[in-house]
Amino acid sequence: MHWADHTAQTLQQRGDSQVIASGITPSGEFHVGHLREILTAEMIHRACLDAGMDSRHIFIVDSMDPLRRIYDFLAPNYEQYIGCPLAYIPAPGPDGEPDPDGGSYAEHFLGPFLEALREIGVEPEVVMNHETYESGAFADKTHSAIGQRGEISEVIEEVSGREVPEDWFPYNPLGSDGSLDGVRVTGYEHPHVHWVDRHGVEGASDIRTGQGKLPWRIDWAARWGIHGITCEPAGKDHGAAGGSYDTGIPICEMLGGQPPHKMVYEWIQLKGMGPMSSSAGVTVGPLDALGLVPPEIMRYVIARSKVGRHIDFDTGPALFQTADEYERLVANPPSGSDEEMTRRQQVAQDTQLAALRLSQIKRGSDPSSSIAGVSFRHLAMLAQIKSSDDDVWASLRRSGHLDGDPSDALTGRMRRMRNWVDGPHFPDAARIEVQSGISDEAGTNLTDEHREFLSALSGALSDCEWTDAAIRDCIRATTAEVGIGGRDAYVALYWVILGKHHGPKASSLMSEMEREDLLSLISET
RNA sequence: GGGCCUGUAGCUUAGUCAGGUAGAGCGCCGGGCUUUUAACCCGGUGGCCGUGGGUUCGAAUCCCAUCAGGCCCGCCA
């Protein structure tokens, strides 16, 4: 059984209503890990719905988390905001300077990420954590945590094995400068936590407002109860023994909540394997990746892998293989009957079908529509030899792949394909490079029969109408005339044009070339 | 120092929880296809299941050890 369905089944034992959560800090550095986080949760959510349960998918944005450091894309004067919640500091402008009109830092980075999520069919309920603080929803848990300060501190020491400082307090107030750093708690009188900050200023934070926050391990445990979360997949950093998941579970109970089902996933890495990457170790952001990779393929990469396995997602040559695999599965889904399969084969089949189901952008839609009738490889070829999209659609209509106007799925695929083809990740081996002269290798591979055919073709082409169809007819006619095998004729052409023994549809390729260039190439043989 | 995950064919991997003769896809090789979407169809090659012990009638699977890669123990998905 697929991991998402299996998790849904486990969750069903708790009841018929599920809240699946994801959580991400919008510090600006979105990476593919966030994609795995949110897709893992979303697939479990879908599996719950598919199993007939009620389910919500909530995305908790850690907008109350402080800015930790000055990232590369930030100007040095962000120094003043280190330690301040991301919801309360200004977004950077194009120059990296704080932009007073740019909205909050958290919102600024969240927007594009949510947009990218929409493209892969993920539309969670977004919860801004700072708003939950401001609304007072954390107040009871905070009061309870402060009351059990000693016990909580013991749990953390016991479970995580790390030492909790003597003056540790389960609430971090904001100081007079709006920063969480260097603020020392001096006392608690419900609902106020008294403090003195690093400037020596004294003050009090009302726990019913956004004047402070719970430390991470407590915050996480508290929000589980507040939102009634039944499952929150966590990266293995949180999931490691003694990590925040393990401390969160007892703390959640101490705060009167029911802890969620523990689920831990392995890391994913996105590797660009283009020409620059081997030496420079180029990595790609998730937003970049979604600009290159068809959304259902992105989902498929997550859906087909077991949660406990590393994923090295490669935007180089492996993308062809992944797309091939996906398309084969769509075109020919496994469908053996129970009698003729072993139990293992049946499990494998169920898992594959579920992965396919969960890869669809729209829940429940027909997988075959995601491909839009054209293979990824074919599109890669067309993107290279046709400079305008209209020519691509025309070619697809001629070849019978397209009827009428291209679908959104198809235009989306094409847009991403062009990004890929034009960028550094596209594999050299797949790149179509029309030769400027006959290579030595091509020369030695051409037989006399080949040369005879090429010579005849050259004559025929000189007064051939320069369209795909006319060129194709011309090749056929010449092939018949010379008496060369169809395959050999094309092999000869590929050696001449590409310097390889095979290639994409020759007439399409030739119609994109200048007639003179082609004839001059042939004449060199 | 403590702990977690992973190691199965050239590549990606299923099978490990409930032990019973190692499965798949890709690649590769061969054949087919008298008009190549880098296509398609058929057949074949290929694994002492990281290593060493143990338990068992029987181990990829359970136990112990060991090697390798990744990661966690302040924050991080």
Side-chain angles (χ1 to χ4, degrees), chain A residues 145 152 156 168 170 214-223 251 255:
Chain A
I152 291 177
I156 295 177
W168 181 82
L214 298 166
W216 163 245
R217 284 175 191 256
I218 319 299
D219 179 304
W220 208 24
R223 71 167 72 157
I251 293 171
L255 301 179

Side-chain angles (χ1 to χ4, degrees), chain A residues 405-417:
Chain A
D405 291 326
S407 63
D408 289 348
L410 184 53
T411 54
R413 287 204 134 202
M414 193 61 202
R415 187 181 77 240
R416 292 186 173 87
M417 182 57 77

Side-chain angles (χ1 to χ4, degrees), chain A residues 2 28 153 280 297 302 313 340 356 382 434 470 503 519 521:
Chain A
H2 193 272
S153 156
I297 300 291
I302 307 290
F313 184 40
E340 62 195 16
L356 184 58
L382 291 176
V434 175
L519 293 180
L521 258 184

Side-chain angles (χ1 to χ4, degrees), chain A residues 5-21:
Chain A
D5 292 324
H6 183 259
T7 305
Q9 200 178 63
T10 306
L11 289 173
Q12 195 153 29
Q13 292 165 10
R14 305 169 58 115
D16 282 332
S17 183
Q18 307 299 335
V19 179
I20 318 298

Side-chain angles (χ1 to χ4, degrees), chain A residues 378 381 385 431-439 441-443 445-447 450-451 453-454 457 461 468 471-472 475 484-511 513 518 521-522 525:
Chain A
H378 186 45
M381 187 272 288
I385 64 171
R431 189 147 265 152
I432 295 169
E433 281 184 77
V434 175
Q435 302 292 291
S436 53
I438 302 300
S439 68
E441 194 187 0
N445 277 289
L446 287 172
T447 64
H450 286 152
R451 288 176 215 277
F453 162 73
L454 289 169
L457 183 67
L461 284 176
D468 189 334
I471 293 171
R472 182 193 58 204
I475 296 172
I484 189 174
R487 190 177 220 158
D488 273 336
Y490 283 97
V491 167
L493 276 170
Y494 289 125
W495 276 121
V496 169
I497 300 171
L498 300 176
K500 302 178 185 177
H501 76 282
H502 62 194
K505 191 173 179 185
S507 54
S508 301
L509 190 55
M510 291 157 74
S511 69
M513 295 175 67
L518 178 58
L521 258 184
I522 294 180
T525 63

Side-chain angles (χ1 to χ4, degrees), chain A residues 2-4 31-44 120 122 263 265-270 290 295-313 322 351 354-356 358-359:
Chain A
H2 193 272
W3 52 263
H31 48 77
V32 255
H34 295 121
L35 245 29
R36 187 168 202 181
E37 158 92 15
I38 204 146
L39 278 171
T40 302
E42 201 260 356
M43 287 175 187
I44 292 169
I120 53 175
V122 178
M263 169 139 203
Y265 60 84
E266 254 292 353
W267 305 97
I268 179 174
Q269 291 197 341
L270 194 45
L290 290 173
E296 62 281 355
I297 300 291
M298 187 69 235
R299 292 185 66 105
Y300 181 64
V301 167
I302 307 290
R304 72 168 173 181
S305 309
K306 295 194 295 187
V307 286
R309 288 192 86 102
H310 282 110
I311 299 177
D312 279 322
F313 184 40
T322 308
T351 307
L356 184 58
L358 292 165
S359 296

Side-chain angles (χ1 to χ4, degrees), chain A residues 4-5 9 21-22 47 51 74 123 130 153 178 210 232 234 245 292 311 325 333 352 357 411 447 466 506 508:
Chain A
D5 292 324
Q9 200 178 63
S22 305
L74 296 176
E123 299 191 55
H130 75 281
S153 156
E232 177 165 357
Y245 221 125
L292 307 174
I311 299 177
E325 184 183 317
Q352 279 192 312
R357 184 187 99 229
T411 54
T447 64
W466 210 244
S508 301

Side-chain angles (χ1 to χ4, degrees), chain A residues 84-104:
Chain A
C84 300
L86 300 170
Y88 302 144
I89 62 177
D95 52 0
E97 295 285 337
D99 176 4
D101 303 321
S104 85

